[in-house]
Structures are given as C-alpha cells and as structure tokens.
Amino acid sequence: MTKYHHGDLPAALRAATAELVAEKGPSGFSLREVARRAGVSHAAPAHHFGDAEGLLTSVAAEGFQRLADAMEADGDHIDDALQRLRTVGAGYVRVALENPGHFAVMIQSDLVCNDDPALMEHSLRAYAALQRGMELVRDQLNPDLDIDTAATFCWASIQGLVSLSPKLDDVASDTGTKATPVNVLVDEFANYMVHGMAAR
Amino acid sequence: MTKYHHGDLPAALRAATAELVAEKGPSGFSLREVARRAGVSHAAPAHHFGDAEGLLTSVAAEGFQRLADAMEADGDHIDDALQRLRTVGAGYVRVALENPGHFAVMIQSDLVCNDDPALMEHSLRAYAALQRGMELVRDQLNPDLDIDTAATFCWASIQGLVSLSPKLDDVASDTGTKATPVNVLVDEFANYMVHGMAAR
DNA sequence: GGTCAATCTTTACGGTGGCAACTTACCAGT
DNA sequence: ACTGGTAAGTTGCCACCGTAAAGATTGACC
C-alpha cells in the first residue's frame, strides 16, 4: 500500500503551518518548509489551497472555529453577566495559548483573505457569542449599554492582552519586576470591563 | 552626521519602510523594494542596519519614540485622571493612525530585535508615561489600584483597538451595520477603563 | 595633493513562491 | 475487466529575495 495519496493532506498542512508559525512567528513561515514537514513536495499545497494566502486563510479559519466553539460552549449556559465574561475571557486566553500559531495568523490580517466564507462564518460566530454576553451586561447592569461598542471594547482588551503578552515579559524583565501570568490578568481585566460597562 | 553620498540614507530607508509596510502590510515588506524606493542599490541598507531585522527594529524604535513623545506632551501636564486618560488615549490612536507602517512593525514583535537599546528606551518611556496616568487614577479614584495591572489593561485595550480596527470594518460590512470610527471609540474606551478601575 | 575610511555598487549564491507539464493513483461507467 | 477521466503529487523552471564578499567612489583629514 504505497501511500501516494496522503491521508488528509490539508489538515496536515494546517497543522504544520500552525506549528511552524508558533516556533518562528508569521515571518518565519515558508510554504516549502511546511511542505517538507508534511513530507510532501513543495508544490503539493497549491493543489489544495492555491497559494500561501489560501493556506494561511484556512489556518485562520480553523483558529476562529476553535475560538467560536469554545466561546459558545463556555458561555452560552451562564446567566450571570460577570461570571460569563470571566469564563469566556479565560476561555479566549486558553484557546489562544493552546493555539499560538493559529492566533498569530488570525491577527495578522494582511496574510489572509478576509472575504473567505469559512473565515467570515466562524469569526462572526465568535463575535455573536461575545454580543450575547454584552446583552447580559445590558440587561443586568446597564440598560443604556451600546452592545457593539461594549463588544469591541472586550474583544480589543482581551486580544490586546494576548498579543502583548510576549512584550509584557520583556518589560517586566527590563524593569526588574516579575510579569503577572496572562491567565491571572484576564480575571482582573474581566472585573475592570464589567465594572466599567456597568457605570452609568 | 551621515551626509556623504545620500542625504540621510538611514532616515530615508526608515521612511520608505514605513510607507511600504503601510501599503502592503508587514508581509509585503522587502529589503530590495525599500532600497529601490530610496534610490539606492539593494545592498545599501545592510551597511547601516546589518540585516532586515535591524532596519525593522530601527523603524519600531522610531515609532515608539514618536509615541512616547506624544504621550508625554499630551498627558504630563494634565491633573485630572479621566481627562488625562482620554487625552493620552486619543493621542495614542492619533499617532497610530498617522504612522500605520511604524505601528504594524511595532506590534509584530517577531520582526524586530527586542533587546535593541533604542527600542527599549522609548518603549519603556511610553510605558512610564502610562504608569504616571495610572498613579493619578489611584490617587484620585481608587487607592487599592494595582498600577501595573491597570497599565497593562489600558495598554492592551487601546493597542487591541488599533490592531483590530481593520477587522472591525470587515465585521461591520458583513453584518450590515456601519463601523464606529476609531477616534470615537477610544473616547468610550477611556470611560469604560476609568470607571472600571475606579470601582472597588 | 595624497592617504584613508566610510559609503555605496556589483556580483554571486542559496532559498522561496508560483506556474506549467508530467506521473501516479483512484473511481465510475460500460 | 477494461478504459477514460479526474484528483493528488512530483519535477523543473523562472523571477524575486536576503545576505555576504569584493570592488568602486566619495568626502575628510593631514
């Protein structure tokens, strides 16, 4: 059984891409290196993804899928606004730390095709889960809350935390203080966010 | 100082880099294209910056310098905590929008050498200005506030807003709603942040 | 005017992305 | 069971890129 045909090459290529990006950053990504790691020739990815942007877009979509799944699973059964935001925020950070390669690609929006249907679907699904959390905040804490502004605020804060986390370690080592772990910070952030949005 | 053949090649190369990155994103950056735009041969940048990372590091340092200068000039004469956070936040966004190429490089920390002295100096200077703002919040609104946690929160929120702003436009166009301009959002963010940090 | 060092150019080499042409495996229809 | 078609992967090619080395040019200093 000569395995000329790979079992599931697209998935293997996505995994290799995520691994490579997690190791060397998005700038260290190389289509040929990914193909090498997957054990295929350098032109094989083109048959499934067209070009490098196509592969990276697929990785980003996969990342948003995992994020949206986690946000829905974590949050959609919680009725208390603060507890939901805490839990979903912690889940966001957890997924981001578990999938560093995916998230690095998801943020770097000039690498991906933002019109991709799968990418749009899952990223909108994640955003919708966040919006439902904001509706809870509005219903329980502040009827005047603007849902979209609040959702953007939470999204930006958590995403900023994740993308700044390597730099935080640098600053901490430079100033001599020790860095607070990200999963601890996110809890404080949730407090700040909820209290900030609850104020009228 | 450097004024032999070219007028001031290092500065010209930084400017060309920022322009190119602003146009095509960090992934569209190419040392040869930068040299082409500056009107020099493709190996000229190496003599001043060593390699591509050196040039990008210099651009990032320049960006942090402009940011730190603005944050100090905008904030250091304001005594009211909320007003200071508002003003500095607006200034952050303004500098980011005025220097999109610089900021794209500053965020993408795998592109730059984070040990660079100039980079460290200016980024720590910006962080210190932010810390002074947090001390105002502590003194005026909440004596129990943890300065570093609060500073990280504000930094992450504003930086997340800036780096998410292109994606916000996408989401808005996908959902049919219209996107709120970033310079309006930052004002709301400042409210959320201050009220969140003031709660005890 | 002559020497020297800094600045830039030229040349060369290995790596990379994308394209075209080719080979191999699988599958559907008769 | 054969056969045509299609999907999956390979090889070869070209232009571009980053970097290193060696050559050329310019300004500065004595």
Side-chain angles (χ1 to χ4, degrees):
Chain A
M1 177 157 174
T2 67
K3 277 191 49 186
Y4 187 82
H5 282 12
H6 192 284
D8 188 356
L9 187 54
L13 290 172
R14 276 192 294 268
T17 299
E19 196 182 359
L20 177 59
V21 172
E23 282 178 23
K24 307 191 181 181
S27 63
F29 165 81
S30 140
L31 206 52
R32 281 169 123 97
E33 175 64 22
V34 166
R36 260 190 299 270
R37 293 189 180 204
V40 293
S41 79
H42 67 266
H47 277 272
H48 296 277
F49 299 105
D51 55 0
E53 190 187 71
L55 172 54
L56 291 170
T57 300
S58 182
V59 170
E62 189 176 55
F64 273 111
Q65 179 173 17
R66 294 180 186 176
L67 177 63
D69 287 348
M71 289 176 72
E72 291 174 352
D74 286 350
D76 277 350
H77 58 90
I78 299 181
D79 295 327
D80 180 70
L82 173 57
Q83 194 191 341
R84 171 165 177 148
L85 192 58
R86 255 193 220 277
T87 306
V88 171
Y92 191 111
V93 169
R94 188 187 68 247
V95 174
L97 295 181
E98 282 173 357
N99 303 275
H102 288 79
F103 269 68
V105 175
M106 289 156 64
I107 301 168
Q108 188 87 16
S109 59
D110 65 306
L111 294 176
V112 305
C113 173
N114 296 100
D115 301 337
D116 181 75
L119 180 66
M120 274 175 43
E121 175 198 337
H122 295 301
S123 78
L124 287 178
R125 199 154 56 84
Y127 189 72
L130 179 58
Q131 278 183 318
R132 288 194 291 280
M134 295 303 102
E135 287 167 7
L136 242 54
V137 175
R138 181 195 57 194
D139 296 344
Q140 294 174 16
L141 300 170
N142 182 358
D144 298 327
L145 187 74
D146 182 84
I147 297 292
D148 276 319
T149 302
T152 303
F153 177 59
C154 293
W155 189 12
S157 300
I158 302 290
Q159 180 52 50
L161 172 62
V162 170
S163 72
L164 248 54
S165 64
K167 225 170 198 20
L168 293 178
D169 299 337
D170 289 343
V171 170
S173 71
D174 291 347
T175 57
T177 61
K178 94 172 161 48
T180 308
V182 177
N183 50 358
V184 174
L185 278 179
V186 69
D187 230 48
E188 283 298 322
F189 277 32
N191 282 332
Y192 289 155
M193 290 189 282
V194 165
H195 290 135
M197 294 185 295
R200 316 176 52 173
Chain B
M1 177 167 180
T2 333
K3 190 135 185 157
Y4 293 97
H5 299 74
H6 192 283
D8 187 356
L9 187 53
L13 291 172
R14 277 191 295 267
T17 298
E19 196 181 1
L20 178 58
V21 172
E23 282 178 24
K24 308 191 178 179
S27 64
F29 165 80
S30 137
L31 206 51
R32 282 170 120 103
E33 175 64 22
V34 166
R36 229 171 276 136
R37 294 190 179 203
V40 293
S41 82
H42 66 267
H47 200 277
H48 293 278
F49 298 105
D51 55 1
E53 190 187 69
L55 172 53
L56 291 170
T57 300
S58 181
V59 170
E62 189 177 54
F64 274 111
Q65 181 173 16
R66 294 181 187 177
L67 177 62
D69 287 347
M71 289 177 72
E72 290 173 354
D74 286 352
D76 276 351
H77 58 91
I78 299 181
D79 295 327
D80 180 70
L82 173 56
Q83 192 191 342
R84 170 163 178 149
L85 193 57
R86 255 192 219 278
T87 306
V88 171
Y92 192 113
V93 169
R94 176 174 38 81
V95 175
L97 295 180
E98 283 173 359
N99 303 275
H102 288 78
F103 269 69
V105 175
M106 288 155 65
I107 302 169
Q108 189 85 18
S109 58
D110 64 307
L111 293 178
V112 305
C113 173
N114 296 99
D115 300 338
D116 182 75
L119 181 65
M120 273 176 43
E121 176 197 337
H122 295 300
S123 78
L124 286 178
R125 199 156 54 87
Y127 188 72
L130 179 57
Q131 278 184 319
R132 288 193 292 278
M134 295 304 100
E135 287 167 8
L136 242 54
V137 176
R138 182 195 57 195
D139 294 343
Q140 293 175 17
L141 299 170
N142 182 359
D144 297 327
L145 186 73
D146 182 85
I147 297 292
D148 276 319
T149 302
T152 303
F153 177 60
C154 294
W155 189 10
S157 300
I158 302 290
Q159 180 51 50
L161 172 63
V162 170
S163 72
L164 249 54
S165 64
K167 226 171 199 21
L168 293 177
D169 299 337
D170 289 344
V171 170
S173 70
D174 291 347
T175 56
T177 60
K178 86 173 162 55
T180 308
V182 177
N183 50 356
V184 174
L185 277 179
V186 69
D187 229 47
E188 284 298 322
F189 277 33
N191 282 332
Y192 289 154
M193 289 187 286
V194 165
H195 289 135
M197 294 184 296
R200 317 174 52 172

